[in-house]
Amino acid sequence: MRRLFGSVRARATLGATLVVAVALVAAGAAVLLSLRSNLMGEAGTQAERSARAVAAELAAGTPYDKLSGLDGDIGPVQVLDEDERLVAVSEDLERISGTDSDRVEAQGAGRPAGDDDDDSEASADPLEPGEISAETVFSNGSATVDGDTEDYRYAAVEVETPGRGTLKVYAGAPLAAEHGAVRTALTVMLIGFPLLLGVVAGVTWLVTRRALRPVEGIRREMAAITRSEDLARRVPEPDTHDEIARLASTTNETLAALETSVERQRRFVADASHELRSPIASLRTQLEVAAAHPELLDLDGAVEDTVRLQRLAADLLLLARLDAGERPNDTRVDLAGLAREEAEGRSGVTVEAEPVEVAGSRGQLGRVLANLLDNAQRHARSAVTVSVRREGDRAVVGVADDGDGVPEADRERIFERFVRLDAARSRDDGGAGLGLAIARDVAVRHGGTLTAGRGPAGGALFELRLPLV
């Protein structure tokens, strides 16, 4: 069963069919009950008219054998006296049920007026001679007339007659039309409802299949991408402008982002391997030479290569943590104080700062300022200026130098990893090309931005913008 209804199409078809089935059963029951009630009411109205017609003749003093309603044309009729004795009955009535008397033969002519039975209860609102009761009592039963047995709806009315006391008249109207109409309606429903449910199930199955066809195409393409590991492939996007089309578009956007991320990671690994290979090879060469000729050991060069390896490893570790989604904490950081700390001990660095606080990691923000100052000192001729100020709801930290500046075409490229401009291609002087990339990543993780521009002295100007606390 679980496998049978394991698809969305099967479950949607089953759900739609069940909902329509419940609605059809409820509507069919309501129609049958309404039809039966209306036909029963019509039969009751017909029976009441017949009973009141006979009662009117009795009120007028018509003898029992002269009553026109006893000819059997309008249905079975019974007339009972106060003792519930049958005093008149319609012709050809052979059997009757559903009235106060099941007799079909008259028993007497009734009692004279004023001869009351001591055991009878006086009416709370006695009728006047010749008056017909306004109240009608209805009941259901059956009768056999001239050999034909049918169900009837009976109406009973009382009439006060002069000389014969209070009589009760029963008249029946056949229910054959009601039964026939209800049976016909039920037959139509029993035949039509299954056919309608079949049509609903078929249409739902086909519509759902057509609607889900693009989903199956997306699934097959994703499976092919997974097998081939070719992230350049994209899933088909249906031209329907619906949820499935948006799903395909989002899937392609995810694949594009994943492709970019994987390509960036591959580039990063290749560049990191290349950057690590040079100091490791240099350090190994120096150690091998020192092992063969101790007097030729370049201790300062070995220490410098080791420190460079240590810094590069620390940069790579920080980038890995940032790529993994590490979020900074929400401690308050005084950017003015942090700028003075990072500038302390650096020659040619001037700090112009006003108190500004932001939320974030003090260590990571200090790393950003250190990287910006290192970059500025590397390219400055003589002076580096650090400014900290407020601009609206942002804190702005500017690091400017008086060097040659950054060409406008390269102001975004310098934030890429392992990128060194021509003036700084030397690994010894220009670093590994990770400082600015780390600075921008940290700025973005703190909800800010880092941009490069032209400074007041003509050199480079790096502006770090962070939201205030």
Side-chain angles (χ1 to χ4, degrees):
M1 183 64 69
R2 181 177 298 178
R3 178 175 298 179
L4 179 62
F5 297 105
S7 67
V8 174
R9 182 169 51 184
R11 290 196 297 270
T13 302
L14 176 63
T17 305
L18 288 178
V19 169
V20 174
V22 172
L24 288 177
V25 170
V31 169
L32 289 177
L33 291 176
S34 176
L35 178 63
R36 185 177 183 277
S37 176
N38 290 337
L39 293 177
M40 192 74 72
E42 292 181 4
T45 301
Q46 180 182 350
E48 183 181 7
R49 284 198 301 265
S50 300
R52 291 190 177 276
V54 175
E57 293 184 27
L58 291 172
T62 304
Y64 295 133
D65 57 353
K66 300 297 184 180
L67 295 173
S68 62
L70 302 182
D71 56 7
D73 292 339
I74 62 174
V77 176
Q78 281 185 320
V79 181
L80 306 179
D81 63 8
E82 293 179 349
D83 295 328
E84 296 186 353
R85 291 181 302 177
L86 185 65
V87 296
V89 65
S90 60
E91 297 177 1
D92 299 327
L93 180 62
E94 300 174 5
R95 187 178 61 84
I96 191 170
S97 65
T99 64
D100 288 343
S101 175
D102 58 359
R103 295 181 179 276
V104 295
E105 294 181 0
Q107 295 176 311
R111 296 178 301 167
D115 187 10
D116 295 334
D117 191 346
D118 294 339
D119 294 334
S120 64
E121 296 182 358
S123 174
D125 189 12
L127 300 174
E128 298 294 331
E131 183 181 359
I132 300 174
S133 172
E135 181 182 359
T136 304
V137 179
F138 295 97
S139 61
N140 293 332
S142 62
T144 302
V145 180
D146 197 19
D148 295 330
T149 301
E150 292 185 22
D151 291 331
Y152 287 87
R153 177 73 166 169
Y154 294 109
V157 295
E158 291 184 349
V159 58
E160 185 68 25
T161 62
R164 289 179 289 189
T166 303
L167 301 178
K168 182 181 287 187
V169 179
Y170 281 94
L175 294 176
E178 180 265 339
H179 293 330
V182 171
R183 281 195 298 270
T184 301
L186 182 60
T187 302
V188 171
M189 291 179 184
L190 292 177
I191 296 176
F193 283 6
L195 294 177
L196 182 58
L197 289 177
V199 172
V200 170
V203 171
T204 305
W205 179 271
L206 293 177
V207 171
T208 309
R209 178 182 180 183
R210 182 178 181 85
L212 294 178
R213 186 178 300 164
V215 177
E216 179 61 22
I218 294 173
R219 187 203 63 80
R220 286 197 300 267
E221 187 62 24
M222 288 297 294
I225 292 173
T226 302
R227 289 192 300 269
S228 65
E229 299 182 358
D230 183 9
L231 297 178
R233 299 175 61 171
R234 297 293 181 265
V235 300
E237 295 187 21
D239 189 20
T240 54
H241 306 288
D242 55 8
E243 291 83 354
I244 297 178
R246 291 194 291 272
L247 171 64
S249 176
T250 303
T251 302
N252 284 334
E253 291 174 1
T254 303
L255 287 172
L258 183 60
E259 181 186 15
T260 301
S261 177
V262 170
E263 184 60 30
R264 181 182 181 185
Q265 192 69 22
R266 288 173 179 170
R267 228 174 23 246
F268 175 76
V269 172
D271 291 339
S273 300
H274 180 72
E275 293 294 334
L276 287 171
R277 184 170 56 185
S278 296
I280 290 176
S282 175
L283 183 60
R284 178 180 178 180
T285 300
Q286 294 180 53
L287 293 176
E288 288 178 348
V289 170
H293 306 282
E295 69 279 2
L296 299 180
L297 174 61
D298 184 5
L299 187 57
D300 293 337
V303 172
E304 184 179 349
D305 286 339
T306 304
V307 171
R308 184 162 176 262
L309 278 174
Q310 184 180 11
R311 290 177 178 173
L312 183 57
D315 287 345
L316 294 176
L317 181 60
L318 177 57
L319 285 174
R321 292 204 309 268
L322 293 176
D323 288 342
E326 180 182 278
R327 307 299 301 179
N329 50 37
D330 292 331
T331 59
R332 290 174 176 265
V333 179
D334 179 13
L335 285 182
L338 186 61
R340 292 189 182 97
E341 289 180 12
E342 294 298 331
E344 187 178 355
R346 295 176 181 264
S347 61
V349 178
T350 304
V351 178
E352 301 173 356
E354 60 179 270
V356 175
E357 285 189 341
V358 296
S361 169
R362 183 179 179 85
Q364 291 186 7
L365 293 177
R367 181 65 176 275
V368 172
L369 290 175
N371 288 354
L372 294 179
L373 287 171
D374 288 341
N375 181 78
Q377 286 187 303
R378 186 178 300 119
H379 297 89
R381 292 188 177 92
S382 59
V384 175
T385 302
V386 180
S387 62
V388 181
R389 66 186 186 278
R390 295 171 178 264
E391 281 189 6
D393 61 346
R394 294 273 167 168
V396 181
V397 179
V399 179
D401 61 64
D402 58 353
D404 296 331
V406 181
E408 187 174 353
D410 296 324
R411 288 176 184 173
E412 280 298 317
R413 194 169 68 89
I414 58 175
F415 292 107
E416 297 178 7
R417 298 175 183 182
F418 299 105
V419 169
R420 290 183 293 266
L421 299 184
D422 293 339
R425 286 301 293 177
S426 170
R427 287 189 175 87
D428 294 333
D429 298 331
L434 293 177
L436 294 179
I438 292 175
R440 170 166 279 189
D441 283 354
V442 171
V444 172
R445 293 299 188 278
H446 282 73
T449 60
L450 178 62
T451 58
R454 185 175 181 83
L461 170 63
F462 290 89
E463 285 191 333
L464 171 66
R465 297 176 180 269
L466 297 173
L468 295 171
V469 175

